[in-house]
Amino acid sequence: MAILLILLVPLIGLAFWWHGRGATLTRACRWRLDRRVGPGHWRCATCGATCDLDPGNEPRHCLRPPATDGHG
């Protein structure tokens, strides 16, 4: 039983790593392809960030500018 527990802990860690390796910290971003502007122009429906990439590629990270806190 102890051997099974020793094997189970690294396997759970490996499963979390495998699941999260393609994820980013921008789950709120919703990228939409805006063909009115160009063939590879993307716009985030949530934060309004834009970028131009090759057609067929989608942005994976949030590109919105960092928020200022008003203290400088």
Side-chain angles (χ1 to χ4, degrees), residues 11-49:
L11 287 175
I12 290 173
L14 184 64
F16 278 120
W17 173 79
W18 184 268
H19 178 70
R21 68 188 178 111
T24 64
L25 297 176
T26 60
R27 293 181 181 96
C29 279
R30 299 179 185 270
W31 291 101
R32 303 291 186 253
L33 184 60
D34 191 0
R35 291 190 178 111
R36 296 175 295 165
V37 178
H41 186 78
W42 292 87
R43 188 181 74 78
C44 178
T46 304
C47 67

